[in-house]
Amino acid sequence: MNISLPESPLQTLRHPLLKHHNVTLSVKRDDLLHPIISGNKWRKLKYNLIEAHNQQYTHLLSFGGPFSNHLHALAAAGRIFGFETTAIIRGPELDSGNPTIRFLRACGMKCHAVDRQTYRLRNSPEYLSQLNKQFESAFIIPEGGSNLFAIDGVAELARSLPQFSHLITPVGSAGTLAGLIEGAQQDQHVLGLAVLNQADYLIETIKTLSPKANEQSNWRLFTEFHDGGYGRFSPKLWQFCQQMRRDYCLPLEPIYSGKLFYGLFQLIEQGYFKSGSELCAIHTGGLQGLAGLRYCKRI
């Protein structure tokens, strides 16, 4: 199975704050990797798709919320590469007007809503065993696509970049940060900004996914820039997203990429980075989520 990734561009930002602190900031525009399967979802799915194909699976199953970027990407990948797809969606019901759900179904993905109590079992071996019996032909991918196959795809991204002093990413399920740690050089710093509240537990997830994370101290997870928790954001953050699009032609959404840049600019303002630092922020895509926020009248 041949899955080749196009090269996404690097965008250099010029901002008075950067000049004042003598740091440079480039943006790896992985939101432009593919018109539908964008950002880290494309990176994380690549080797999952290859492994599923190699094991002769024809069916992919995964988990996510009703506005999931991961499920959106998985549904599109299934349609493009010829896999049947199934989603276990945090419910308890499916809103047929939700633009993400409509897209999943348009791609042929079968959507099964479960209540929140059942959804919490998504990583339980017993529950996964039940799903294996219910969907015998399914290759199961965890929520967010973050598993060992995903790490290889993200590590490729890190190795493809110029030698920046810092690589910075938003963190949800921790696979992207773990993959960057695996692919980065030891003298590079890898920083993750968690988009959910009380995210310290992700440190153990990162160490499970990345052997290097257990051996090296060149990485850090920031947990204070979640702006209210997963899926939540302040009017000030949304205003920041709009300003970045207007002033720098950098489209952001307030769930992942917006929190990344909002938090990153706070770190720069606080003087966290030494003079001369060369920063690269990874735009992990997820812009499809804007349609859901508009649908819910949150923006």
Side-chain angles (χ1 to χ4, degrees):
M1 186 177 191
N2 182 24
I3 301 180
S4 59
L5 291 172
E7 187 63 35
S8 61
L10 279 167
Q11 176 182 353
T12 300
L13 294 190
R14 306 191 187 283
H15 188 281
L17 189 65
L18 301 171
K19 184 176 181 180
H20 176 73
H21 289 273
N22 191 33
V23 299
T24 62
L25 175 57
S26 298
V27 183
K28 182 61 170 172
R29 293 291 305 273
D30 262 10
D31 58 306
L32 301 175
L33 266 178
H34 188 277
I36 304 173
I37 316 170
S38 73
N40 62 341
K41 304 310 177 189
W42 189 218
R43 304 274 183 187
K44 292 198 284 186
L45 281 175
K46 176 182 175 181
Y47 287 103
N48 273 287
L49 297 174
I50 291 173
E51 182 67 18
H53 173 78
N54 289 344
Q55 292 190 35
Q56 299 185 324
Y57 282 94
T58 59
H59 184 184
L60 308 173
L61 181 147
S62 195
F63 311 85
F67 298 95
S68 169
N69 294 323
H70 166 62
L71 292 181
H72 187 276
L74 184 66
R79 183 67 178 267
I80 292 168
F81 296 106
F83 290 95
E84 180 184 352
T85 53
T86 296
I88 307 298
I89 299 176
R90 187 183 69 247
E93 298 177 351
L94 297 178
D95 177 1
S96 59
N98 173 346
T100 303
I101 300 297
R102 289 171 59 190
F103 178 84
L104 304 186
R105 287 173 166 166
C107 290
M109 177 175 269
K110 296 176 182 177
C111 302
H112 299 271
V114 298
D115 59 41
R116 289 178 179 268
Q117 184 176 359
T118 302
Y119 190 78
R120 291 191 192 101
L121 302 174
R122 62 193 178 277
N123 297 318
S124 161
E126 293 80 8
Y127 181 57
L128 292 175
S129 178
Q130 292 176 24
L131 291 176
N132 273 319
K133 293 175 183 177
Q134 184 178 352
F135 303 97
E136 293 182 5
S137 63
F139 182 84
I140 298 180
I141 301 172
E143 180 184 50
S146 293
N147 58 12
L148 294 178
F149 300 117
I151 300 308
D152 291 338
V154 180
E156 283 184 344
L157 163 62
R159 290 192 288 266
S160 74
L161 292 168
Q163 190 68 15
F164 294 102
S165 63
H166 295 75
L167 305 180
I168 308 132
T169 183
V171 177
S173 57
T176 302
L177 179 56
L180 290 175
I181 295 168
E182 280 297 294
Q185 300 296 317
Q186 277 190 284
D187 59 350
Q188 289 182 296
H189 300 278
V190 185
L191 309 179
L193 277 66
V195 303
L196 59 159
N197 197 5
Q198 298 179 333
D200 292 304
Y201 74 94
L202 289 174
I203 292 173
E204 291 307 312
T205 303
I206 294 161
K207 290 181 178 180
T208 299
L209 292 171
S210 166
K212 285 187 177 181
N214 294 277
E215 303 165 359
Q216 299 176 179
S217 58
N218 64 331
W219 65 278
R220 179 174 176 182
L221 176 68
F222 291 91
T223 59
E224 63 267 39
F225 298 110
H226 53 78
D227 203 49
Y230 183 73
R232 300 180 181 180
F233 57 92
S234 62
K236 192 172 182 179
L237 172 56
W238 175 232
Q239 290 169 7
F240 171 83
C241 293
Q242 295 176 86
Q243 182 181 0
M244 293 298 287
R245 182 164 197 152
R246 181 178 63 249
D247 295 349
Y248 300 99
C249 297
L250 183 64
L252 303 174
E253 42 68 45
I255 308 301
Y256 288 95
S257 58
K259 289 184 180 181
L260 168 67
F261 284 93
Y262 194 50
L264 177 55
F265 272 84
Q266 290 178 59
L267 286 173
I268 295 168
E269 189 171 23
Q270 293 165 12
Y272 177 83
F273 301 99
K274 294 180 181 179
S275 176
S277 294
E278 297 174 315
L279 318 181
C280 180
I282 312 299
H283 193 314
T284 53
L287 296 174
Q288 70 88 25
L290 290 169
L293 293 173
R294 293 189 186 99
Y295 173 71
C296 296
K297 296 181 171 55
R298 297 185 61 196
I299 58 174

